[in-house]
Amino acid sequence: MGSEFELIDQAFRAASPSRWPGTEVPNGDDASVHACEPGTAWVVSTDTAVCGVHWPQDFSLELAVERAVCTALSDLAAMGAEARLVWASAMAPDAAAITMMGRGVSHVVARFGLELAGGDTVRAQTTGLNVTVAGILPQNTAMRRDAAESGDDVWLAGRIGFSAMGLEHWLSGERDVDMVSAFAEVEPLLATGTAIRELGVRCCIDISDGLVQDAGHVAVASGVQLHLDLGACEDWPELVAICGEHHAVDLALAGGDDYALLFTAPTRLRDSLAGLARRVGDCREGRGVVVSLAGKPLVLPAHGYDHFA
Ligand code: ADP
Ligand code: MG
């Protein structure tokens, strides 16, 4: 391996052709330049993932990096955006790790037809990746946290609790792919996000830090109370069968890392949304979140994932 720039070229640039017609200046210059389409808005989000915090030390670095890019894309899905561009800033102690990270980034970029528009590569004791993603949508159509209204249905696309279960299995030494894949393989629900936005959904959040905490963000921002029925969530009986009801409740309420989409919609959209998500509750006057199982309200955890708690 030669210079830093050869390393960058080999790890990142070679695998990121310009795929976006709006790109005037692609990756490789001091900055990239992208035209704005009339009537559309850019949606931009950034996330950082660090070894030992966001993935276990002994986890595959390539997979960890794929995960990191996918979790960033999940934020675009929650806004209803079509993903377009990615910036990836990598830090690692050695060139081999950077090469591995480049492979992970390239896989996801290719899988979703995105363009790696830039990034940074630095040496550091810790291995980590900052990912910035940008997508587009028609102006004034983004799905937000503050747009739920009393009387709306609450919907959930994707499963909750399984990722936390997969991580627990990994940490206990389990290496069976089926048991850990829910943690290892994040699927950003981009197609679902744009589909529900096009149907008229205006309020959505992705569940990254646990159902109760993220549903709570919608409740606070919108000034409503969310009522959720855990039993109505996708594959709930399967989670209970694997880890028992008591533990399944803990994982689903506060486990985190699910990257499911929680959204609210007026009841007139029920028929059109039925194939895209599960209806799991409703919004009422009031504040906070109520989650019940078999008709009984559950005692909720004080908080979900919190880096500084
Ligand atoms: P500058 O000194 O202009 O900030 P750098 O030396 O950091 O640029 O990087 C040189 C070029 O390589 C830039 O165009 C940058 O976008 C690209 N690059 C560096 N690291 C990455 C990465 N991890 N992913 C994608 N592109 C990268
Ligand atoms: Mg420069």
Side-chain angles (χ1 to χ4, degrees), residues 5 8 12-13 27-30 88 116 118-121:
F5 298 105
I8 291 171
F12 295 100
R13 200 175 305 148
N27 188 19
D29 214 309
D30 289 321
L116 188 62
D120 202 12
T121 303

Side-chain angles (χ1 to χ4, degrees), residues 90-94 122-128:
M91 61 172 85
D94 54 63
V122 300
R123 193 149 63 84
Q125 292 302 315
T126 306
T127 301

Side-chain angles (χ1 to χ4, degrees), residues 8-58:
I8 291 171
D9 214 53
Q10 176 252 18
F12 295 100
R13 200 175 305 148
S16 57
S18 181
R19 289 194 174 89
W20 171 228
T23 296
E24 263 173 48
V25 181
N27 188 19
D29 214 309
D30 289 321
S32 59
V33 180
H34 311 278
C36 310
E37 287 170 86
T40 66
W42 281 107
V43 180
V44 184
S45 177
T46 193
D47 273 307
T48 301
V50 174
C51 177
V53 178
H54 296 87
W55 71 85
Q57 307 264 2
D58 58 351

Side-chain angles (χ1 to χ4, degrees), residues 91 97 101-102 115 132 153 164 194 205 250-251 262 281 287 296 301:
M91 61 172 85
M101 295 171 87
E115 175 177 328
T132 302
D153 291 322
T194 52
I205 191 169
D250 289 345
L251 294 173
L262 181 93
R287 40 163 79 187
K296 293 204 191 78

Side-chain angles (χ1 to χ4, degrees), residues 94-306:
D94 54 63
I98 295 291
T99 302
M100 197 93 78
M101 295 171 87
R103 225 178 284 152
V105 170
S106 304
H107 278 163
V108 182
V109 163
R111 177 146 75 93
F112 291 100
L114 310 175
E115 175 177 328
L116 188 62
D120 202 12
T121 303
V122 300
R123 193 149 63 84
Q125 292 302 315
T126 306
T127 301
L129 187 75
N130 173 265
V131 186
T132 302
V133 290
I136 56 163
L137 42 63
Q139 273 181 337
N140 301 312
T141 65
M143 302 189 292
R144 318 158 49 114
R145 298 175 178 195
D146 62 3
E149 290 182 17
S150 176
D152 279 358
D153 291 322
V154 179
W155 296 80
L156 189 66
R159 309 190 300 176
I160 53 165
F162 287 79
S163 177
M165 178 196 69
L167 178 59
E168 278 186 355
H169 278 109
W170 178 275
L171 294 174
S172 72
E174 173 73 76
R175 293 296 180 267
D176 178 64
V177 181
D178 286 341
M179 296 308 271
V180 301
S181 67
F183 171 76
E185 292 159 23
V186 173
E187 188 61 35
L189 300 178
L190 288 160
T192 304
T194 52
I196 62 177
R197 193 241 312 136
E198 281 167 3
L199 286 169
V201 172
R202 286 293 161 265
C203 177
C204 182
I205 191 169
D206 74 324
I207 306 294
S208 52
D209 297 328
L211 179 67
V212 171
Q213 181 159 311
D214 288 319
H217 292 319
V218 172
V220 169
S222 299
V224 296
Q225 186 174 63
L226 267 65
H227 281 248
L228 309 174
D229 172 15
L230 214 46
C233 296
E234 188 180 330
D235 292 340
W236 172 253
E238 195 187 323
L239 190 64
V240 171
I242 297 172
C243 43
E245 185 173 286
H246 185 74
H247 195 45
V249 167
D250 289 345
L251 294 173
L253 295 183
D257 277 334
D258 301 297
Y259 303 103
L261 297 182
L262 181 93
F263 58 98
T264 77
T267 54
R268 66 183 155 74
L269 291 182
R270 271 185 196 176
D271 288 348
S272 24
L273 290 169
L276 291 164
R278 305 284 296 257
R279 187 153 57 86
V280 297
D282 57 55
C283 300
R284 304 179 192 177
E285 304 281 343
R287 40 163 79 187
V289 179
V290 176
V291 186
S292 49
L293 186 58
K296 293 204 191 78
L298 297 164
V299 177
L300 302 185
H303 51 76
Y305 192 79
D306 182 329

